[in-house]
Amino acid sequence: DAGVIQSPRHEVTEMGQEVTLRCKPISGHNSLFWYRQTMMRGLELLIYFNNNVPIDDSGMPEDRFSAKMPNASFSTLKIQPSEPRDSAVYFCASSPRGQGIGGYTFGSGTRLTVV
Amino acid sequence: GDSVTQMEGPVTLSEEAFLTINCTYTATGYPSLFWYVQYPGEGLQLLLKATKADDKGSNKGFEATYRKETTSFHLEKGSVQVSDSAVYFCALSPNDKIIFGKGTRLHILP
């Protein structure tokens, strides 16, 4: 099992540019989560999907952020336009449906730096 | 809303010392409770969990007991090793999603 795969591992971009982060969940996992990690705010849940449908996007900071899950094996998180305060590590996690009770598997994260 | 509060770090201990990292929670209902560990440059990994009151989760020498009366889930280990240096997150899950504490960085000195 390859685990949750995120790409890229590192991204450096200029303010105002569009950034797309990618995630491939574990095959058979029905739930997918996007988290953002910063020193100031810790881990924040941005959005999560069940069976490719967004369930809760209340954590998405503003309209510049959008997430999609076109199929069970792929999800994207897009920031357009990016700002320096978006600099953080973004994690994707997946779990079998109804397994919030510890069934999460995290990817290694994407470290985003907006200059 | 549901939340988790854990002790601020960093926590610095010598090898073989006893470890306690405090965690308390606020939740309606009866959530499941977890400890996750994050090693440098990696994502979070589940360390242990407990799904109901008085349950004890354990793994790799770490333990935590779900205390409903004190709404706590403190992490303990009797003898820490240098390899235990990492960031530890307490978390709760009232439903499909997990709410994390801010993390406690642990440094173990040889």
Side-chain angles (χ1 to χ4, degrees):
Chain A
D1 189 342
V4 176
I5 300 173
Q6 291 187 246
S7 63
R9 285 300 305 272
H10 302 274
E11 175 81 34
V12 180
T13 190
E14 292 186 347
M15 181 174 64
Q17 296 298 306
E18 176 181 298
V19 175
T20 299
L21 312 181
R22 297 172 176 79
C23 175
K24 177 179 168 54
I26 290 175
S27 177
H29 281 192
N30 303 102
S31 297
L32 183 140
F33 307 80
W34 282 102
Y35 283 86
R36 177 171 70 177
Q37 185 178 37
T38 61
M39 290 293 291
M40 291 297 295
R41 293 188 297 271
L43 267 169
E44 302 171 278
L45 176 63
L46 300 178
I47 184 171
Y48 79 97
F49 297 83
N50 281 342
N51 295 321
N52 313 339
V53 176
I55 302 300
D56 183 351
D57 65 355
S58 59
M60 296 286 262
E62 47 196 279
D63 291 346
R64 297 185 296 107
F65 286 68
S66 62
K68 294 183 179 180
M69 192 164 185
N71 57 62
S73 60
F74 184 65
S75 177
T76 59
L77 177 68
K78 183 180 294 186
I79 308 173
Q80 164 67 14
S82 58
E83 296 182 4
R85 60 194 167 115
D86 301 331
S87 297
V89 181
Y90 291 81
F91 287 102
C92 175
S94 70
S95 75
R97 178 71 171 94
Q99 289 288 322
I101 52 170
Y104 279 36
T105 301
F106 279 79
S108 296
T110 295
R111 181 174 295 278
L112 173 65
T113 303
V114 183
V115 298
Chain B
D2 297 344
S3 65
V4 174
T5 302
Q6 60 184 107
M7 62 189 292
E8 292 190 20
V11 173
T12 302
L13 297 171
S14 297
E15 204 166 22
E16 299 183 0
F18 183 87
L19 167 71
T20 300
I21 300 178
N22 290 337
C23 171
T24 57
Y25 67 90
T26 301
T28 54
Y30 304 98
S32 295
L33 302 175
F34 317 92
W35 279 98
Y36 279 77
V37 59
Q38 184 179 29
Y39 298 102
E42 299 183 11
L44 278 70
Q45 303 173 27
L46 178 64
L47 180 61
L48 55 84
K49 67 179 181 183
T51 57
K52 62 183 187 296
D54 300 325
D55 268 3
K56 177 186 286 188
S58 61
N59 185 24
K60 300 180 181 179
F62 291 90
E63 293 183 339
T65 301
Y66 191 142
R67 301 286 188 200
K68 183 170 176 291
E69 63 277 11
T70 55
T71 61
S72 65
F73 193 56
H74 305 321
L75 181 68
E76 296 181 335
K77 187 174 185 181
S79 176
V80 293
Q81 306 300 313
V82 172
S83 57
D84 293 328
S85 299
V87 181
Y88 292 81
F89 293 87
C90 186
L92 67 82
S93 178
N95 45 45
D96 280 350
K97 64 182 182 181
I98 295 182
I99 299 166
F100 289 91
K102 293 199 169 183
T104 301
R105 185 174 297 278
L106 176 65
H107 294 289
I108 306 300
L109 304 174

